[in-house]
Amino acid sequence: MSNQVIVIEETFNAPVEKVWQALTDKEKMKQWYFNLDDFKAERGFKFSFPGQGHKGEQYIHLCEVTIAVPLQKLQYSWQYKDYEGYSTVTFELFDEGDKTKLKLTHEGLDSFPRHPDFAADSFSRGWTHLMTISLKEYLA
């Protein structure tokens, strides 16, 4: 059960600049992702946001940007306040002209406590929804 990794690849009918902005502009992120007080695609930038579990539990996500290569790659740590575990979320962008392929990788899920809200399939459902529905509709 260790080394659980989620990888989702999706191609969007949008240029790479527009996809990068959707991933890094806090006003645009609010429209498809999470409501962040602030976000900067800069290494070392720390941000947090609330999230809700399947039974209504509140979790505070604690994140720090670890890699930021404009129009190519964004990575940040993904942890939870008051819980063990350290994971990383990586977005890789591939410029395909008027389209952009986006590869999301979430690694380190097995470092979280055994709990339904931290289960790999819970993350998989969440990321799949964000990538294939929320972001796709936002970029359309």
Side-chain angles (χ1 to χ4, degrees), residues 5-9 20 23 32-33 64-69 72-78 86-94 101-108 127 131:
V5 177
I6 292 169
V7 177
I8 300 171
E9 292 187 19
W20 178 257
L23 296 175
W32 73 273
Y33 190 52
E64 180 176 346
V65 176
T66 51
I67 299 172
V69 181
Q72 293 176 33
K73 188 174 188 177
L74 176 67
Q75 181 185 76
Y76 41 82
S77 61
W78 181 285
Y86 178 92
S87 66
T88 58
V89 175
T90 307
F91 296 93
E92 294 174 273
L93 292 80
F94 302 91
K101 186 170 99 176
L102 180 60
K103 178 181 176 185
L104 172 135
T105 306
H106 194 166
E107 300 175 89
W127 286 121
M131 292 277 288

Side-chain angles (χ1 to χ4, degrees), residues 1 3-5 9 15 29 42-45 48 63 69 72 86 90-91 95 106 126 128 130:
M1 251 338 238
N3 296 328
Q4 294 172 325
V5 177
E9 292 187 19
M29 292 166 84
E42 296 170 4
R43 191 184 158 122
F45 182 80
S48 64
C63 305
V69 181
Q72 293 176 33
Y86 178 92
T90 307
F91 296 93
D95 186 344
H106 194 166
T128 298
L130 283 168

Side-chain angles (χ1 to χ4, degrees), residues 7-48:
V7 177
I8 300 171
E9 292 187 19
E10 192 69 32
T11 299
F12 299 97
N13 289 316
V16 70
E17 294 83 3
K18 187 172 179 183
V19 177
W20 178 257
Q21 285 180 347
L23 296 175
T24 60
D25 180 313
K26 72 174 181 161
E27 295 306 319
K28 292 177 173 51
M29 292 166 84
K30 285 177 185 178
Q31 296 177 52
W32 73 273
Y33 190 52
F34 291 100
N35 189 351
L36 307 182
D37 289 334
D38 201 7
F39 184 83
K40 290 186 176 70
E42 296 170 4
R43 191 184 158 122
F45 182 80
K46 293 180 180 178
F47 62 101
S48 64

Side-chain angles (χ1 to χ4, degrees), residues 67-137:
I67 299 172
V69 181
L71 308 181
Q72 293 176 33
K73 188 174 188 177
L74 176 67
Q75 181 185 76
Y76 41 82
S77 61
W78 181 285
Q79 297 174 274
Y80 294 96
K81 185 175 194 258
D82 302 325
Y83 290 91
E84 287 180 20
Y86 178 92
S87 66
T88 58
V89 175
T90 307
F91 296 93
E92 294 174 273
L93 292 80
F94 302 91
D95 186 344
E96 298 182 349
D98 58 351
K99 295 180 190 272
T100 303
K101 186 170 99 176
L102 180 60
K103 178 181 176 185
L104 172 135
T105 306
H106 194 166
E107 300 175 89
L109 301 177
D110 48 318
S111 70
F112 293 125
R114 290 195 175 278
H115 185 288
D117 289 337
F118 301 142
D121 64 330
S122 176
F123 284 106
S124 183
R125 282 192 306 272
W127 286 121
T128 298
H129 180 85
L130 283 168
M131 292 277 288
T132 64
I133 297 171
S134 300
L135 182 55
K136 188 156 254 178
E137 287 177 358

